[in-house]
Amino acid sequence: MSFAKHTDLPPGLTPHALYFDNAATTPLAPEALGVMMPFLSDRFGNPSAIYSQGIDARYAVEKARRRVARAIGAREGEIIFTASGSESDNLAIKGTFLARRHRGMHVISCTTEHSAVLNTLEALSDFGAEVTLIDVGESGVIDPDDVARAIRDDTVLITVMFANSETGVIHPIAEIARVARERGVVFHCDAVQSVGKEPIDVETLGVDLLSLSGHKIHGPKGGAALYVRRGVEIQPIIHGGNQEGGLRAGTENVPAIAGLGAALELAEALRPAEMPRLRALGDWIIERLQRSINGVQLCGDPAHRLATILCLTIEGIEGARLVSLAGEEGISIAAGSACSAGGLAPSHVLTAMGLPMGRVSGGIRISLGRENTDAAVDHLIAKLPLLVRALREGTPRDGR
Ligand SMILES: *Cc1c(COP(=O)(O)O)cnc(C)c1O
């Protein structure tokens, strides 16, 4: 495999601008890096210490907590910092299961959830959890009535993501939360892909637990959080010191936490202008690709979709092969989920939506972010049709 060198790119295009895999991770915002840097050098204190270096670090952690709480309409005491969105999902699901298993062991989720949820549920089934996964149709949207019907007397937790990370499809979270609350079931929402992109207010939504992660919103890897509604009981899964209200032991990752707070505040400030910009770019990409390549279809309900994620299926090609050809041109896109792209496993999300195998294998994901410019999108929509033609004709392309 070869990679396009910076100097090979057309004038005005940077590698960041041609990075269209923002649902996998995002480039760190310079503003977040700026906030982090002092805590990677001089300001090294342990936030639990009560002399000046410790107090300084504690102040940074608590400032970030206020920023995260404000961004999602929560109170400061309801934010638990973790090391990843996956950890937040694990803490929410295992923590609720441990705290409530005397009341029942039934958990409800959805077939199209992220692996951080699905594999956690599978692990819990070894400990007696009974899991019902709700099906979705071709729209990819979960029906709250299906959730209501699945609730049993021993149901203790419902976990449904805000928006799908492969298709961008948005679920009716407030409706599901209402159903859960009526039946006294704790409701967790994995909003890792959605925070900073959609208006998310834990009171309006009525969720009990909500996961978010910094590196999906131009923040650092290693800085993430779980919202835990006051009064909702969960058990820790990492034991040790009394950090994070006893719910997550371990010395806080101060730089990552500070970076998360700054990145989320910035994402919220930019959101009103940025999301319409990205939605227009996304619509432009779909329109152009459908015109220049035959057999291109958008996956999932177009009316309920994040501005940042386009999942397309392209007839007669392997999505993974297109991804690798595009990569040689310096263009980063994805095929299915990141994990399945590595192992070439068909996307569990597109499969669960009932798409025929032929469409599933031709799936690609283009996910937009702050650094994608008009010029970069023009480059993308000029290149992809050529690469698709090369794949369809099955002939090796001439050198560039
Ligand atoms: C990325 C992602 C996760 C995992 O977050 P990490 O911080 O990478 O562990 C979980 N859920 C969704 C929906 C995601 O997009």
Side-chain angles (χ1 to χ4, degrees), residues 370-382:
R370 205 170 291 160
E371 305 211 29
N372 296 133
T373 57
D374 288 4
V377 165
D378 284 341
H379 186 68
L380 174 78
I381 58 193

Side-chain angles (χ1 to χ4, degrees), residues 182-235:
E182 274 166 19
R183 303 287 298 270
V185 179
V186 169
F187 181 48
H188 166 246
C189 179
D190 173 346
V192 171
Q193 204 57 254
S194 316
V195 163
K197 297 160 192 172
E198 284 287 315
I200 289 187
D201 181 285
V202 291
E203 292 307 327
T204 313
L205 290 174
V207 300
D208 296 311
L209 303 156
L210 182 133
S211 304
L212 59 95
S213 181
H215 77 97
K216 302 284 176 82
I217 49 168
H218 302 276
K221 293 162 186 69
L226 178 68
Y227 158 78
V228 183
R229 178 178 295 279
R230 185 157 50 181
V232 169
E233 239 192 291
I234 64 169
Q235 294 280 315

Side-chain angles (χ1 to χ4, degrees), residues 23-24 84-87 89 114 116 161 163 165 190 192-193 213 215-216 224:
S84 65
S86 301
E87 188 193 325
D89 288 345
H114 192 273
M161 71 205 317
S165 39
D190 173 346
V192 171
Q193 204 57 254
S213 181
H215 77 97
K216 302 284 176 82

